[in-house]
Amino acid sequence: MADASEEAGTTGPSRRRVTAAMASGLVGAVYAAGTPTASAAERSRGSGGRSDPAHHDVLFVSAHPDDEAGNLSTFGLWRERRGLRTGVVTITRGEGGGNAVGPEEGAPLGMLREGEERSATALAGIENIFYLDKPDFWYTLSAPLTERIWHERDTLERMVRLFRMATPHTVVTMDPRPFNQHGGHQMSARLAIEAYFLAGDERAFPEQMTCEGLRPWHPRRLLSQNHGFSGLLGPEAPEERRTDPDTGLPVVGVWSGHISREHGKSWAQVERDAARMYRSQGWSAMPPEVPTDPGKLGSDWFSVLAEKGRAVRAPVRGQGELRPVYAEFRAWTRRVGLPWLANNAQPEYPAPPSTTVPEVDAAPVLNGIEGDGEYPGPRLRLRHWEGDEATDTDCSATAKMSRHGDDLFVLVTVTDDREGTRLDKEDAKRHWRTDSVEIALDPRGDGDDTSVTFKTGIFPFTAPDGGPAAERDADNRQGPAEKTAPGMRVAAAVGEPYRGYTVEVKIPLGELPAAADPERFAANILVYDSDTQDKTGQTRLAWSPFGSAQADPYVWGTARLEGYTPPPGRPTVPADAEIPTEAARSEDSPASVAQARRTGIPVAGGPRPCGPR
């Protein structure tokens, strides 16, 4: 048990206003049923009894289009049963995601995903989505990296402005905890939590009051998604009082099986219909029907972080030595006065695998075939990591590594019963959409996120000529391999008839962001298996399969480079990462511009003109 000073939290200079607002409102755990209520005054705040077009009873805050998809049954039910109006705050438009429907990427993909999100959420009666125009750069587990790219202070100011203009009584957001969570999800939750308390503090962003004519606003309730209760099915599950075993906070559930009067089907089915509209993310491959048996339908679960404008208090349970990502999260929870959110945040990581990469006298011939003496080291078995469990004939894989001089060689042999989509060579990116191999290398073996690593995705076959292709993704430098790793070479041998493939690659160690430490060199080797032609994957394998195997360098295995000494002068500090920051802009979206006219809330949560109102 932590002492009182730890439980109260400490104040960092960048969070002084947040901590003051939170610390003044710590009370015992008080919570009600999963459905919020709103007074008539809150639902009709305009003059003369007219509804304020800016007002929303509920605001859901997230990072990407589709993050709200799993809660649409709740928002639809609240609207239909209680007349509650929900709006969505989406910080990015998901420009860094994959695309299963076309070649769009960057800003054009963001616009495409906006259209999908607006169509899907409309089924739950959601009219307004407020985009903050921040870039979605790539899949990372790092909230600090996301914070830097999003320019956190600007994003927080925009969110506080939205809260003050939309006047929600309930704020719902994502889970802020770090393990196996997209950094954007973590950061969107952190910002929502801070904005919840800051919106009512007149000392926070005072120019919004003095210049823009806004008033402080105190939302009543703050909820965060909780996925730890998803196995509880049936209508009775949310009727019991529940507590999160880690944070100690109360948890409420909203059953998805209630029948929608408007749609004539369960809200779970409406939510599935909506989810399948996120076609660019491959979600149209979801089964079209959900169970009709009420006992097989689950609930949406939420931790109650605050009630009546005050943080719900819980005991603090400290952990011992923390890795940097978890230590940073604990420091944040203390700064904002919610230290119990860090309880058990760091999981018990299993011991990562290890191997020795032998040095060979002659460089392997890159032909997708293991020649005599080319790979004398151990054969590494790749195990199930995510997705569908697969038999060995459906999908299984092994890998071998060797080194010749300053070049690392990797041979990956995959057994696969069905070929995925043959992407065009110019579309050889976002490799998880089809059959592919990923090789992830941390040259110093101490990375906290993948911005200091080298990660390549390799397609064993492409269209139209059928040859292999490679790219780099979510690492120190992304893009086609011929531009981002010009010394890398790839070969593949594909079975005929198709029974799988072998990928062989040469990676010059000089292409890595820093000199390879021969004793701490870390690696993970992953296989993505697709059995369809719709650019979706079904099974994922990894040498080290714990947690987020492609994005968490903490879990990667050690691959000791036998007999290796890096050339003199090679840097030991990784080069600064090149991170894409292209983002779609609300001012270029007709739907967002029309929404701003309709609600009076400026596009992207920007400032209102100064002057008298």
Side-chain angles (χ1 to χ4, degrees):
M1 181 71 68
D3 61 27
S5 62
E6 179 179 2
E7 186 168 306
T10 57
T11 303
S14 65
R15 296 293 187 274
R16 187 170 290 112
R17 300 303 187 199
V18 182
T19 306
M22 292 181 173
S24 66
L26 294 176
V27 295
V30 179
Y31 65 102
T35 304
T37 59
S39 67
E42 286 175 320
R43 292 199 299 268
S44 181
R45 302 182 68 254
S47 61
R50 293 174 297 174
S51 178
D52 182 348
H55 173 66
H56 292 72
D57 302 292
V58 180
L59 276 185
F60 176 76
V61 179
S62 68
H64 315 99
D66 74 35
D67 286 342
E68 74 288 318
N71 294 144
L72 291 179
S73 61
T74 292
F75 301 144
L77 179 69
W78 286 351
R79 179 185 63 84
E80 200 168 70
R81 295 282 180 93
R82 300 286 183 177
L84 301 181
R85 186 189 194 198
T86 295
V88 174
V89 180
T90 305
I91 295 176
T92 82
R93 284 178 173 81
E95 296 91 349
N99 188 351
V101 297
E104 296 89 352
E105 57 183 332
L109 175 59
M111 289 301 187
L112 186 155
R113 294 190 68 179
E114 175 181 347
E116 292 177 340
E117 185 175 28
R118 289 189 182 278
S119 296
T121 57
L123 293 186
I126 293 173
E127 300 172 285
N128 298 316
I129 302 175
F130 303 95
Y131 297 94
L132 300 190
D133 293 2
K134 299 300 178 176
D136 177 39
F137 48 103
W138 32 256
Y139 180 63
T140 178
L141 298 188
S142 174
L145 181 63
T146 305
E147 178 180 43
R148 188 173 85 235
I149 300 302
W150 283 0
H151 300 103
E152 176 264 355
R153 188 68 179 173
D154 177 74
T155 309
L156 181 60
E157 181 178 4
R158 291 169 185 269
M159 197 174 296
V160 169
R161 180 181 291 110
L162 271 170
F163 284 15
R164 288 170 172 169
M165 296 189 75
T167 60
H169 66 77
T170 298
V171 174
V172 185
T173 190
M174 308 192 80
D175 185 346
R177 293 161 65 85
F179 178 67
N180 204 11
Q181 269 251 71
H182 195 304
H185 295 178
Q186 298 173 50
M187 199 62 215
S188 66
R190 292 192 192 190
L191 291 165
I193 290 167
E194 294 185 28
Y196 173 88
F197 292 97
L198 287 176
D201 185 350
E202 63 184 12
R203 297 166 297 176
F205 307 110
E207 65 280 0
Q208 293 184 5
M209 277 75 71
T210 59
C211 177
E212 300 178 43
L214 302 182
R215 292 180 295 174
W217 178 256
H218 298 270
R220 290 207 315 246
R221 195 176 215 202
L222 177 62
L223 307 176
S224 68
Q225 293 174 334
N226 189 318
H227 301 292
F229 296 81
S230 58
L232 298 176
L233 306 179
E236 296 82 14
E239 295 179 2
E240 296 185 27
R241 294 171 64 95
R242 301 188 186 276
T243 302
D244 183 85
D246 292 320
T247 64
L249 292 172
V251 175
V252 295
V254 181
W255 187 52
S256 67
H258 294 288
I259 300 300
S260 165
R261 295 188 297 268
E262 176 185 350
H263 296 281
K265 59 182 77 171
S266 72
W267 275 109
Q269 183 60 58
V270 176
E271 181 176 284
R272 176 61 56 83
D273 296 343
R276 284 167 51 83
M277 293 181 176
Y278 300 97
R279 295 177 61 245
S280 67
Q281 303 310 292
W283 289 18
S284 59
M286 288 182 176
E289 306 294 332
V290 302
T292 56
D293 181 352
K296 295 182 179 179
L297 294 177
S299 299
D300 293 346
W301 298 95
F302 306 96
S303 293
V304 184
L305 275 58
E307 281 282 18
K308 298 182 179 179
R310 299 178 177 181
V312 175
R313 191 184 184 100
V316 176
R317 298 190 298 275
Q319 287 186 283
E321 185 176 349
L322 295 177
R323 299 167 189 247
V325 165
Y326 300 97
E328 188 276 338
F329 176 68
R330 182 176 65 182
W332 174 81
T333 66
R334 291 172 173 176
R335 283 198 301 269
V336 300
L338 302 174
W340 39 85
L341 292 181
N343 292 350
N344 299 329
Q346 178 174 291
E348 186 174 345
Y349 279 84
S354 63
T355 190
T356 296
V357 180
E359 182 178 11
V360 292
D361 294 331
V365 177
L366 285 179
N367 55 7
I369 300 172
E370 182 178 357
D372 291 342
E374 290 184 335
Y375 295 92
R379 190 178 301 276
L380 310 177
R381 181 172 178 266
L382 277 57
R383 295 175 292 160
H384 178 263
W385 157 44
E386 279 186 342
D388 299 340
E389 293 276 1
T391 64
D392 285 349
T393 55
D394 180 0
C395 182
S396 56
T398 61
K400 301 187 79 174
M401 292 187 280
S402 64
R403 180 186 61 83
H404 177 70
D406 204 40
D407 296 325
L408 177 71
F409 291 83
V410 184
L411 180 82
V412 183
T413 304
V414 180
T415 299
D416 183 18
D417 67 343
R418 189 172 299 175
E419 184 179 300
T421 306
R422 287 182 175 254
L423 299 174
D424 292 337
K425 270 204 168 178
E426 58 269 22
D427 192 29
K429 51 186 178 288
R430 313 294 194 257
H431 53 274
W432 55 86
R433 296 177 293 158
T434 189
D435 295 326
S436 62
V437 169
E438 180 177 323
I439 299 170
L441 306 174
D442 180 0
R444 307 304 296 172
D446 60 359
D448 295 328
D449 61 68
T450 62
S451 69
V452 297
T453 71
F454 177 103
K455 284 167 27 83
T456 179
I458 301 167
F459 301 86
F461 44 76
T462 58
D465 64 6
E471 45 92 51
R472 288 177 62 181
D473 181 86
D475 69 346
N476 190 258
R477 188 179 177 209
Q478 309 87 51
E482 58 266 24
K483 294 181 179 179
T484 59
M488 188 170 78
R489 298 291 181 268
V490 175
V494 180
E496 185 60 47
Y498 186 78
R499 293 292 183 271
Y501 57 89
T502 300
V503 160
E504 191 171 17
V505 58
K506 180 186 81 170
I507 302 174
L509 295 175
E511 302 276 15
L512 274 54
D517 182 332
E519 297 299 324
R520 301 184 64 185
F521 191 73
N524 210 356
I525 301 170
L526 310 98
V527 164
Y528 298 80
D529 177 44
S530 174
D531 291 333
T532 65
Q533 296 299 308
D534 57 7
K535 300 180 186 178
T536 63
Q538 284 72 49
T539 298
R540 297 178 176 185
L541 311 177
W543 178 41
S544 184
F546 183 70
S548 185
Q550 90 276 41
D552 186 356
Y554 293 153
V555 310
W556 297 356
T558 301
R560 180 177 174 272
L561 300 174
E562 185 178 61
Y564 179 69
T565 300
R570 192 165 286 173
T572 56
V573 176
D576 290 339
E578 297 182 11
I579 298 179
T581 57
E582 178 184 350
R585 297 173 60 83
S586 292
E587 63 186 27
D588 299 324
S589 162
S592 291
V593 171
Q595 175 183 295
R597 294 195 187 104
R598 184 173 66 248
T599 63
I601 298 177
V603 293
R608 297 203 300 184
C610 283
R613 298 276 173 259

